[in-house]
Amino acid sequence: MDFTETDELLMLREAVAKVAGGFGHEYWLRASREDRRPTELWRAIGELGFIGVNLSEEHGGGGQGLTELAVVAEELAAAGCPLLLLVVSPAIVGSVIDRFGTDDQRARWLPGVASGESIVAFAITEPDAGSNSHQLSTSAVRDGDEYRLNGTKYYISGVDEADAILVVAKTGVDEATGRGRLSLFVVPTDAAGLTADLLPVEITAPEKQFTVFFDDVRVPRANLIGTEGDGLRHLFFGLNPERIMSAATSAGIARYALTKAADYARERRVWGVPIGTHQGIAHPLAESKIDAELAKLMLQKACWRYDQGHDAGEAANIAKYANAEASLRALDQAIQTHGGNGLATEYGLATMWGFTRLLRTAPVSREMILNFVGQHSLGLPKSY
Ligand SMILES: Cc1cc2nc3c(=O)[nH]c(=O)nc-3n(C[C@H](O)[C@H](O)[C@H](O)COP(=O)(O)OP(=O)(O)OC[C@H]3O[C@@H](n4cnc5c(N)ncnc54)[C@H](O)[C@@H]3O)c2cc1C
């Protein structure tokens, strides 16, 4: 067992940190508040090969693993620039197309996703079927060489930035279980019949959320990824990367918050000594540091298991849960450490709250992870 990171990984960390540090939290905040995209940052990391570092070299990727992509996500967040679409485009969508796409599909979509020139969003959530994907009602009906899609998805991130969306749709019903048979389609965002309405949320993030309507949207059969009806199984290949990337983003946020908090606690004096002298300030920060380090170990385990081809489900779920909780605690304590300044825009902490809180709920909620661990790790009966 070796806990040291390779020289290559350390170099990647440094390189991402340098680029992200050049942009910094103020850039990220401006992009979020001024309602514009973080294009310059996205382009900068794309040009250096960071976005597609996990995708196959043959299709423009870096030929590395999720370990490397997680480092990219962590370092961006640690610099105050977490990017939601990094969880979506190269991690969920890229992994699924790389694994289950045909040669043509990989050649069509992966080079753009890898370079960042093209973004592919991901749509599973529906108004009447959130955590329960068996209830999805968006349908895809075969019609000659095409499928016709009808239905509504919501909370879909980055549709305005995306060239296409990987859509999870129902193509039939399993007679034995009565559950929907799901399939995956890449749907161009300019397809006739596809419309998207902005869904306002109280989160500071450069990515916007959308309700997406599919009104008899026709997609060629060539846009079906993998086998019809086997979408849920294919999707599992993308969901562990999703959980791992979300965990890595949270890990970066925890570092960002604790670094700021410790710097401030060393400098700020109100009783003649730095406030970090007081255990009321030092101990909660130390506890947060312990939480964050433990959570990160599980993140590294999840990355390792995924990249080695082992089942990463349990580790990815635990890592997602632990890092989301650790980052919230770290950020909250960093805000507390800063007193009133913790809530000032200038200190860049309260500005991260919505994003950090989001990662407790999405891409998979805390409760669904507890369900997973209860059922799969502890062998408890399924409650739903
Ligand atoms: C900013 C943002 C961005 C998002 N981006 C995307 C995206 O790009 N693509 C996409 O497809 N989706 C996206 N989502 C959706 C997100 O993945 C869902 O909101 C999340 O999975 C929870 O689903 P839900 O909102 O339908 O909650 P529901 O399923 O309605 O659940 C509501 C509450 O009940 C709990 N609950 C539900 N079932 C159980 C159970 N069996 N046991 C215990 N508790 C339960 C949940 O944990 C939750 O706390 C995004 C959401 C947000 C807010």
Side-chain angles (χ1 to χ4, degrees):
M1 205 177 289
D2 185 352
F3 291 99
T4 50
E5 291 192 334
T6 60
D7 288 348
E8 289 76 18
L9 208 55
L10 290 172
M11 277 162 58
L12 177 66
R13 264 193 202 288
E14 271 175 37
V16 180
K18 192 168 169 208
V19 176
F23 285 90
H25 185 64
E26 278 178 26
Y27 165 85
W28 182 90
L29 194 57
R30 260 199 325 277
S32 307
R33 295 252 164 101
E34 291 171 7
D35 230 11
R36 61 184 188 82
R37 302 163 184 177
T39 315
E40 301 85 355
L41 173 57
W42 190 259
R43 196 173 291 146
I45 57 172
E47 277 168 6
L48 290 166
F50 299 154
I51 296 178
V53 68
N54 61 318
L55 300 176
S56 54
E57 266 179 307
E58 191 191 344
H59 296 105
Q64 307 289 308
L66 206 58
T67 303
E68 285 74 14
L69 189 63
V71 160
V72 175
E74 184 189 332
E75 292 303 327
L76 283 164
C81 309
L83 294 178
L84 219 47
L85 286 177
L86 206 60
V87 179
V88 175
S89 195
I92 309 177
V93 177
S95 302
V96 169
I97 295 181
D98 214 357
R99 176 75 174 78
F100 297 106
T102 60
D103 286 346
D104 283 352
Q105 289 168 337
R106 284 200 291 266
R108 164 72 186 86
W109 296 106
L110 291 183
V113 166
S115 69
E117 278 162 44
S118 176
I119 287 172
V120 183
F122 173 65
I124 184 167
T125 310
E126 296 185 3
D128 295 324
S131 307
N132 186 357
S133 41
H134 299 298
Q135 286 297 324
L136 293 184
S137 62
T138 295
S139 63
V141 176
R142 184 85 174 268
D143 184 4
D145 267 352
E146 294 179 323
Y147 284 88
R148 287 170 26 213
L149 268 69
N150 284 283
T152 304
K153 300 283 181 185
Y154 77 165
Y155 290 106
I156 309 308
S157 304
V159 177
D160 55 336
E161 302 181 56
D163 296 319
I165 309 174
L166 183 68
V167 178
V168 187
K170 189 159 109 182
T171 41
V173 176
D174 184 325
E175 303 215 332
T177 62
R179 289 174 170 176
R181 281 189 184 280
L182 305 181
S183 304
L184 306 176
F185 298 90
V186 181
V187 183
T189 43
D190 62 0
L194 187 157
T195 50
D197 285 354
L198 185 71
L199 202 172
V201 292
E202 295 298 324
I203 296 170
T204 304
E207 299 88 356
K208 307 287 170 278
Q209 317 307 321
F210 294 86
T211 304
V212 186
F213 303 95
F214 299 88
D215 183 8
D216 233 10
V217 173
R218 289 173 176 273
V219 292
R221 215 179 139 195
N223 288 25
L224 168 73
I225 303 291
T227 312
E228 186 186 297
D230 233 0
L232 206 54
R233 195 175 59 81
H234 299 341
L235 208 54
F236 281 125
F237 205 80
L239 294 186
N240 284 334
E242 173 197 69
R243 284 151 176 66
I244 289 171
M245 287 295 286
S246 155
T249 305
S250 295
I253 293 174
R255 271 175 53 201
Y256 171 83
L258 288 174
T259 303
K260 276 182 174 284
D263 287 349
Y264 194 83
R266 278 192 300 269
E267 294 295 322
R268 171 79 171 160
R269 292 166 181 264
V270 281
W271 305 97
V273 291
I275 55 168
T277 311
H278 309 306
Q279 290 179 338
I281 290 292
H283 282 186
L285 289 178
E287 282 173 344
S288 274
K289 170 72 175 162
I290 292 169
D291 278 353
E293 288 294 332
L294 289 174
K296 192 162 157 187
L297 267 183
M298 190 50 89
L299 165 63
Q300 287 167 325
K301 177 175 176 179
C303 288
W304 183 85
R305 289 193 68 83
Y306 184 87
D307 286 339
Q308 296 295 316
H310 301 313
D311 179 1
E314 182 186 63
N317 274 287
I318 295 177
K320 197 275 172 186
Y321 177 99
N323 281 280
E325 297 304 315
S327 65
L328 271 170
R329 187 170 177 185
L331 184 59
D332 188 48
Q333 199 51 46
I335 290 172
Q336 195 64 21
T337 301
H338 281 69
N341 283 339
L343 298 162
T345 308
E346 182 190 343
Y347 285 83
L349 289 167
T351 48
M352 288 281 255
W353 184 255
F355 196 104
T356 309
R357 178 61 183 80
L358 165 70
L359 296 178
R360 181 185 270 166
T361 303
V364 58
S365 71
R366 176 174 60 174
E367 293 72 25
M368 293 313 286
I369 291 182
L370 293 174
N371 284 334
F372 179 96
V373 172
Q375 195 189 331
H376 297 282
S377 309
L378 299 176
L380 300 175
K382 191 173 177 181
S383 67
Y384 55 96

